[in-house]
Amino acid sequence: MKNSTLTRHNVIIAIGGIFLGLSISTGIAFAHGTEMHDKAMMADPQMKKLHAMMPMFSLASAELESALEKGDKETAKAHADRILAAVPDLKKSKPHKNFKQQKKFVEHAVQFDATVASVVESLKKDDLSGAKTAYKKAEKICAACHARFRD
Ligand code: HEC
């Protein structure tokens, strides 16, 4: 009686071990990839956040650019401020491609923050051409970050 209980326990432990082993190895296989599957990406709240915020970046930067072209400093500043307000979230978010290079990702976000802030600084000084130059730099950082972290 005692023996058979022990055996049953051992079988249960062995099966549990196999499941644990399997889930650990699939987890590791995932982490080694440079890209995440869509489902896994959407399950990660920080990746979801990034995906959700990028359309706003796109719209706000298009409006910012067109306001700069028209020389409408008030509107330009409003859109630059909208982008700046989202940067803390950008820094906390995560790309799904090359997600292991999180440090580099944050570096891009920090540079982006600085260039958009300098658009605002130039606008405050009534320096429209300085603002345009700073905006061109910000656009280059959008592109650099996409080149490394977007598929
Ligand atoms: C720090 C990195 C970084 C910066 C800076 C950045 N992006 Fe992105 N962007 C990404 C990543 C990563 C993705 C892909 C993520 C995703 O859609 O899941 C992306 C996706 C996008 C998309 C596609 C959204 C979609 O639905 O697929 C657009 C549009 C976009 N970015 C515009 C911009 C614009 C415009 C700027 C600059 C004003 C910018 N981004 C700055 C990292 C960045």
Side-chain angles (χ1 to χ4, degrees), residues 41 50-51 54 58 61 95-96 105 109 112 142 145-146 149-150:
M41 170 190 139
L50 179 65
H51 190 74
M54 275 302 144
S58 177
S61 68
H96 62 275
F105 180 79
F112 182 67
C142 309
C145 191
H146 293 158
F149 296 105
R150 186 171 86 173

Side-chain angles (χ1 to χ4, degrees), residues 23-35 99:
S23 40
I24 288 175
S25 56
T26 31
I28 288 171
F30 238 128
H32 274 292
T34 52
E35 245 177 84
F99 55 88

Side-chain angles (χ1 to χ4, degrees), residues 63-78 80 115 118-137:
E63 305 242 23
L64 168 56
E65 186 171 28
S66 103
L68 287 173
E69 285 310 313
K70 288 184 208 146
D72 181 351
K73 289 176 219 134
E74 278 307 304
T75 308
K77 191 179 165 300
T115 50
S118 82
V119 171
V120 174
E121 285 312 307
S122 299
L123 288 170
K124 281 184 186 159
K125 286 187 261 168
D126 261 350
D127 175 8
L128 192 61
S129 83
K132 284 182 182 171
T133 308
Y135 177 73
K136 290 271 167 278
K137 282 188 194 160

